[in-house]
Amino acid sequence: QAEAWWSLRPLERPAIPVIAQAESAIDSFIAEKLHKQHLSQTSIAGRRTLIRRLYFDLHGLPPSYEETKIFESDARPDAYERLVDRLLASPRYGERWARHWLDIVHFGETHGYDKDKPRPNAWPYRDYVIRSLNEDRPYREFVLQQLAGDVLFPDTADGNEALGFVAAGPWDFIGHAEVPETKVDGQIARHLDRDDMVSTTMSTFCSVTAHCAQCHNHKFDPITQEDYYALQAVFAAVDRTDKAYDRDPQLAAHRRELTQTKATQQTELHQVEADIAKQCGTQLVDLDQRIEAAQKSSDSFPPEHGYHSQIEKSAACDKWVQLDFGQPVAIHRIAWNACHDDFNGIGSGFGYPQRFKIDVNQEGDSESTVTTVIDRTQADVANPRLEPQQVEFAPLTARYVRFTATRLAARQDDYIFALAELQVFNVDGKNIAKQAQVTATDSIEAPTRWGKANLVDGIYPQAASSKADVAGLTTEREHLIRQLVPVEIQQRAAAARKQLSETQQSLEALPPPQMIYAATIHTGQGAFRGTGADGGKPRLIHVLARGEVTKPLQLVEPGALSCIENLPHRFHETMDQAEGARRAALAKWITDATNPLTWRSIANRVWQYHFGRALVDTPNDFGRMGQLPTHPQLLDLLAADMRDEQSIKRLHRAIVLSATYRASSEAGSLQSGIDPAMVDADNQWLWRQHRQRLDAETIRDSILQVAGLLHLDMGGPSFQDFVIEKPEHSPHYEYQLHDAENPATHRRAIYRFLVRSQQQPLMTVLDCADPSMLVDKRNETISPLQALALLNNQLTLMAAQHFAARLTKLSDNVDEQIDVAWHDAFSRSPTDAERAIVREHVQTHGLPSLCRLILNLNEFVFAD
């Protein structure tokens, strides 16, 4: 039964066992388990160990030598508690613990997948997490904001920036931006996108694998396939895209008020324009159509708009574009127009091939049905600039028209083929290209400037002459209205236009809004239309047989899991409400006091990052395929405290003040003389503190700190420790081209731009989290690659030089330099033996070599 499984049982605060000499409730539960295993806890660690442990745990940076000495000599009984409170109150705390949260939600700043384009507006979510942790935001509010901040906390920066949670994961650019939702591949892309939203939400907040029920009922846990698709229905209207917002609540309210006023005025103007149209009849309709066509052509200049091939290193390369009419038609003329683009000063005739031909194909691939209507492949042709080109011929039956460039145009140090417009006229003189399907050898799809579809859209440089047409047609329209429309209606129209113009001017006078890459209703163009085109109406979500989009079964309502006792699991009331009501309902379901998963999940995670191992060693899976809790009553105590007090900092404090946390990591021995490691090699009963290697970010930041290079500027756009190549198509993130001396990249690692496809080599080898994956716990490996990377990476080499320069500036005495180096790196003085060894090393190899050696010592990369 569902209620029999430990994680689904109602959460109740357990009785604390009475254990002699236990310093806290946590210690009582730990001691009870140790006693049953005939184990005892090691002694409390020394003060230097404790301050380093606390600093690395709560700040991710080493303490200074001076801070360490002050703490070691502080005789006050509450000296340790004072240190804990000071560290929790520091802004460094939020920067440290935000890294853990971003691992869990697989936050990244590129899309991932094939093209892996950057997300320049993702960083506000990272800043939101840091700010929330520093403010010790109530955990319930923290969850509510990330799922439905726009609904529950409207007009606030937090309410908008928190929505970066739903959009934090990878996104298939091709599947969304280049494949429409009407196609099966587009439906699959969007299905998988919602799956990521569901799995991220339920893994992060509830530690359950709901996504395993995508193709069938969960094999091990009481989660039905209908539950899974009910969760998908919660996210059925949102997409990942840039969302505009105002950080100032008053400005946000004013912008919303003006926007609503504008919508009302537009409705009123449409009504009066309908009255005008009724008075003028078809004459006005015809004029408006002609004005629209002329305006469209006029607005396209300068166009920088058309088809653009991929870039080649040689001009001798064939590239083609082809129109497919779907069936054979009779044609007699083909016209084409060159592009205009100011790139590299090329201007008119951009990308026009030096040699080309045009073939007409009646049907299929048989050469016998192909007719070449123009052949310019034997010699270079002059660039026509913006002069329209055409070829006429006796009527031919054709299904395909192919324009092939056989010698490409020079671009910069490379070659391309570009064309603004291709028109094909039937025997009635009608351009039938607009209805044709366009294919090509290859294409740069960079809306709205470049794309295959631009080849037949009617927008090209030579259409700019229609600007004069717009003015003339507009004058004709005004004359018609004055003749046929009563004065009273004309006055109403003039007043409505004036009001709308004033409102628009007021909107334009406001400061530009900020942008956040987040979950929102998308209103874009092309394949990635989102639900904005349907007014944000959620997509219909069906249970899918075997998870296949082509096999829909019954419709589902938005909801959550049915296995939580006494907690409604379907959100019927949201069906007729705005999209955000669904997310708000799920957020409230997750944060309900009777939902035991939420509070056990966060308590388990906080414990994990303090000890290196969670009480449930599968932090994202509290189901039957996950691990059982080693200390279930202790977990429930911490979870109940989170539920009732809503304070993560309070939980930190309780944990780090415990004797269990303060225990030495050194191995002790049983009274019988048996090594405890022989009884509990994994230390699951916590007879000592785990010895942990520092994570990648802490090692990097510590290297910069001891070198005197670390900048503590908070917030804002992420720094990039790479150079981007080919950013317009599929970016290459080249870390080896980065200048390690650049001070802009000497900020804390939490502010590093996170790339999914090409991760930073040093961080990767040090087991940094992969932002493409939900990382509930990182790998912790020890390998030769790590030693080699720390020894030879450009960051280490650069930092060693600066470290040595700083020591030289402080003193010219080698022993004093060694002392300061030890103080900065290890928060202690060197022993006489250490000093003698490194003095000889400095005399032989120099001070920079010693600094490099220090950054590679085990003591530098381990907390204890």
Side-chain angles (χ1 to χ4, degrees):
Q1 297 297 318
E3 60 270 16
W5 188 246
W6 72 268
S7 63
L8 301 176
R9 294 173 193 151
L11 177 60
E12 298 177 357
R13 188 178 291 272
I16 299 172
V18 179
I19 304 292
Q21 297 180 335
E23 295 186 21
S24 67
I26 290 175
D27 296 323
S28 295
F29 284 108
I30 298 296
E32 182 183 47
K33 288 285 187 178
L34 287 172
H35 179 72
K36 291 179 180 179
Q37 302 297 324
H38 306 290
L39 293 167
S40 59
Q41 204 166 66
T42 59
S43 59
I44 300 299
R47 284 207 166 188
R48 173 183 167 273
T49 297
L50 288 178
I51 189 173
R52 283 177 63 81
R53 186 181 295 171
L54 276 176
Y55 259 85
F56 284 126
D57 264 12
L58 297 179
H59 282 191
L61 293 169
S64 70
Y65 175 71
E66 291 74 19
E67 289 170 316
T68 303
K69 296 304 291 182
I70 291 171
F71 177 62
E72 286 181 318
S73 62
D74 192 340
R76 292 176 294 182
D78 63 347
Y80 182 78
E81 296 171 57
R82 288 172 177 266
L83 175 62
V84 169
D85 291 340
R86 180 166 61 83
L87 295 181
L88 287 174
S90 167
R92 307 284 82 79
Y93 157 76
E95 293 174 324
R96 168 60 173 161
W97 278 77
R99 180 64 266 157
H100 299 318
W101 187 261
L102 297 181
D103 280 8
I104 299 167
V105 306
H106 63 354
F107 171 79
E109 294 177 84
T110 62
H111 289 327
Y113 290 94
D114 295 22
K115 294 195 175 180
D116 200 25
K117 291 180 178 292
R119 295 176 180 173
N121 298 313
W123 61 267
Y125 173 70
R126 174 251 292 151
D127 283 1
Y128 159 81
V129 175
I130 295 172
R131 184 169 64 251
S132 298
L133 292 172
N134 276 332
E135 294 174 1
D136 198 20
R137 182 157 300 157
Y139 187 67
R140 179 177 287 112
E141 183 178 316
F142 187 54
V143 177
L144 292 173
Q145 288 176 335
Q146 292 182 75
L147 285 171
D150 54 335
V151 179
L152 302 175
F153 304 87
D155 295 338
T156 65
D158 289 340
N160 284 284
E161 292 172 358
L163 295 176
F165 163 80
V166 181
W171 186 73
D172 183 359
F173 177 88
I174 293 177
H176 285 80
E178 298 184 2
V179 182
E181 202 159 349
T182 53
K183 302 287 187 181
V184 171
D185 285 352
Q187 293 166 18
I188 291 172
R190 287 152 181 83
H191 166 78
L192 294 176
D193 202 50
R194 291 190 298 273
D195 175 72
D196 179 79
M197 294 177 184
V198 169
S199 59
T200 301
T201 299
M202 300 309 291
S203 297
T204 298
F205 298 125
C206 297
S207 296
V208 292
T209 55
H211 50 285
C212 291
Q214 179 181 163
C215 303
H216 44 68
N217 290 345
H218 202 293
K219 294 292 188 182
F220 306 100
D221 300 330
I223 301 173
T224 67
Q225 195 180 15
E226 187 173 338
D227 284 347
Y228 168 79
Y229 285 100
L231 285 164
Q232 272 220 14
V234 170
F235 302 102
V238 295
D239 284 291
R240 307 168 200 252
T241 188
D242 286 327
K243 172 182 171 64
Y245 71 103
D246 293 297
R247 302 202 85 255
D248 181 353
Q250 291 183 338
L251 177 57
H254 185 42
R255 192 187 302 275
R256 186 181 65 253
E257 180 184 355
L258 286 173
T259 302
Q260 291 171 347
T261 299
K262 178 182 176 181
T264 300
Q265 292 171 344
Q266 285 175 329
T267 300
E268 294 172 351
L269 181 57
H270 289 159
Q271 290 173 347
V272 73
E273 286 177 340
D275 291 341
I276 292 174
K278 186 177 180 181
Q279 298 288 331
C280 296
T282 59
Q283 289 177 273
L284 186 63
V285 174
D286 179 64
L287 273 172
D288 284 342
Q289 289 176 346
R290 291 163 62 193
I291 290 172
E292 182 181 1
Q295 185 66 58
K296 183 179 180 182
S297 296
S298 175
D299 289 346
S300 68
F301 189 82
E304 302 179 349
H305 188 101
Y307 160 78
H308 191 312
S309 76
Q310 294 287 347
I311 298 168
E312 301 293 342
K313 292 297 183 183
S314 169
C317 181
D318 286 5
K319 289 187 181 290
W320 52 261
V321 288
Q322 177 172 282
L323 308 187
D324 177 0
F325 308 117
Q327 60 184 4
V329 292
I331 64 173
H332 81 104
R333 182 164 65 95
I334 299 173
W336 61 98
N337 302 87
C339 292
H340 178 97
D341 195 315
D342 289 331
F343 178 85
N344 203 29
I346 296 174
S348 300
F350 175 81
Y352 194 82
Q354 298 179 51
R355 302 184 185 187
F356 66 91
K357 66 176 180 174
I358 301 178
D359 295 325
V360 170
N361 191 345
Q362 180 177 346
E363 186 67 60
D365 296 326
S366 173
E367 292 186 4
S368 63
T369 64
V370 175
T371 300
T372 300
V373 296
I374 185 169
D375 188 342
R376 296 289 184 268
T377 61
Q378 302 306 309
D380 290 356
V381 298
N383 190 319
R385 304 303 176 188
L386 297 184
E387 184 68 26
Q389 303 293 301
Q390 69 171 17
V391 58
E392 292 190 29
F393 41 84
L396 291 172
T397 300
R399 174 174 173 175
Y400 305 97
V401 170
R402 176 176 290 194
F403 190 120
T404 304
T406 59
R407 186 171 183 81
L408 307 184
R411 191 186 76 113
Q412 190 169 18
D413 297 324
D414 43 35
Y415 301 87
I416 61 159
F417 168 35
L419 209 60
E421 191 77 10
L422 184 59
Q423 299 173 320
V424 179
F425 296 89
N426 65 13
V427 292
D428 296 326
K430 180 181 178 182
N431 176 21
I432 60 173
K434 291 186 177 182
Q435 288 76 46
Q437 179 184 358
V438 184
T439 56
T441 313
D442 52 43
S443 174
I444 286 181
E445 297 293 318
T448 57
R449 293 182 59 194
W450 301 113
K452 295 191 296 291
N454 292 356
L455 191 65
V456 294
D457 62 359
I459 302 175
Y460 52 98
Q462 296 83 346
S465 60
S466 59
K467 283 184 176 181
D469 296 338
V470 173
L473 290 169
T474 300
T475 301
E476 186 177 344
R477 184 184 193 275
E478 292 171 352
H479 179 70
L480 177 68
I481 291 173
R482 283 196 299 269
Q483 278 187 321
L484 301 181
V485 178
V487 174
E488 185 266 333
I489 296 178
Q490 294 184 47
Q491 290 174 341
R492 280 172 47 207
R497 291 190 188 98
K498 181 181 178 183
Q499 291 172 349
L500 182 59
S501 176
E502 291 173 348
T503 302
Q504 181 63 35
Q505 289 175 7
S506 297
L507 276 169
E508 292 173 355
L510 296 178
Q514 281 77 36
M515 303 297 290
I516 167 72
Y517 189 82
T520 189
I521 293 173
H522 184 68
T523 56
Q525 303 294 321
F528 184 31
R529 296 170 67 243
T531 57
D534 300 322
K537 183 179 179 181
R539 302 167 177 90
L540 297 179
I541 301 298
H542 298 257
V543 172
L544 302 180
R546 303 298 300 171
E548 296 184 30
V549 298
T550 56
K551 298 179 180 179
L553 301 175
Q554 72 271 23
L555 277 168
V556 294
E557 293 181 341
L561 305 184
S562 56
C563 56
I564 304 297
E565 185 179 352
N566 299 323
L567 197 55
H569 59 278
R570 292 294 179 267
F571 311 143
H572 309 287
E573 70 284 357
T574 67
M575 290 297 291
D576 298 323
Q577 298 177 18
E579 172 277 325
R582 301 181 175 205
R583 291 182 285 111
L586 177 60
K588 292 174 181 176
W589 182 90
I590 289 173
T591 58
D592 193 285
T594 62
N595 186 339
L597 292 168
T598 305
W599 316 111
R600 287 178 175 134
S601 175
I602 184 60
N604 189 61
R605 294 192 194 280
V606 174
W607 182 275
Q608 170 193 344
Y609 292 119
H610 281 301
F611 287 91
R613 176 174 178 165
L615 295 170
V616 181
D617 202 27
T618 50
N620 273 9
D621 188 0
F622 281 6
R624 284 181 169 84
M625 294 304 288
Q627 297 290 314
L628 292 172
T630 55
H631 301 75
Q633 289 187 305
L634 172 57
L635 177 59
D636 278 6
L637 173 72
L638 302 177
D641 194 67
M642 273 302 305
R643 176 196 63 194
D644 298 341
E645 301 297 336
Q646 296 291 312
S647 171
I648 293 180
K649 283 190 177 182
R650 175 187 168 94
L651 183 56
H652 286 309
R653 198 173 191 277
I655 290 173
V656 301
L657 289 180
S658 69
T660 304
Y661 176 84
R662 292 182 289 124
S664 171
S665 59
E666 299 293 333
S669 63
L670 298 175
Q671 292 180 354
S672 60
I674 299 175
D675 183 353
M678 299 296 292
V679 179
D680 179 21
D682 289 339
N683 191 33
Q684 65 173 322
W685 307 118
L686 291 168
W687 51 271
R688 64 176 175 86
Q689 173 63 280
H690 293 291
R691 175 171 286 147
Q692 301 178 59
R693 196 198 69 196
L694 303 180
D695 62 23
E697 289 85 356
T698 302
I699 292 174
R700 175 197 174 277
D701 292 353
S702 297
I703 288 173
L704 289 174
Q705 176 160 305
V706 301
L709 297 173
L710 186 64
H711 293 266
L712 294 177
D713 300 334
M714 294 184 67
S718 303
F719 69 82
Q720 298 181 355
D721 51 358
F722 51 80
V723 173
I724 298 182
E725 291 190 342
K726 298 185 178 179
E728 291 185 3
H729 185 241
S730 298
H732 296 170
Y733 301 92
E734 306 291 353
Y735 293 95
Q736 75 278 6
L737 301 179
H738 163 65
D739 179 9
E741 293 280 359
N742 183 354
T745 64
H746 295 166
R747 302 174 68 199
R748 295 202 64 179
I750 186 68
Y751 301 112
R752 186 172 63 87
F753 193 98
L754 297 177
V755 176
R756 298 189 198 274
S757 61
Q758 295 167 266
Q759 297 173 56
Q760 214 277 357
L762 175 63
M763 305 297 279
T764 300
V765 81
L766 294 175
D767 301 321
C768 187
D770 182 346
S772 295
M773 302 172 63
L774 295 166
V775 180
D776 54 345
K777 60 178 184 178
R778 293 187 179 187
N779 296 327
E780 187 173 321
T781 62
I782 297 177
S783 71
L785 281 178
Q786 293 166 348
L788 290 169
L790 278 175
L791 187 66
N792 299 309
N793 185 268
Q794 60 175 334
L795 175 71
T796 306
L797 297 175
M798 179 273 299
Q801 292 289 339
H802 282 272
F803 192 7
R806 187 166 64 82
L807 297 176
T808 302
K809 188 175 181 180
L810 290 172
S811 175
D812 55 6
N813 181 280
V814 173
D815 283 353
E816 290 179 0
Q817 292 170 345
I818 293 170
D819 284 350
V820 174
W822 243 248
H823 294 167
D824 290 349
F826 310 122
S827 307
R828 67 175 177 86
S829 296
T831 64
D832 291 340
E834 289 171 332
R835 187 180 288 107
I837 293 171
V838 298
R839 183 190 303 116
E840 182 179 349
H841 183 92
V842 171
Q843 291 169 348
T844 304
H845 302 287
L847 191 57
S849 178
L850 171 62
C851 293
R852 186 180 178 194
L853 181 151
I854 287 172
L855 301 180
N856 281 268
L857 291 177
N858 275 350
E859 188 174 354
F860 188 78
V861 296
F862 279 83
D864 289 8

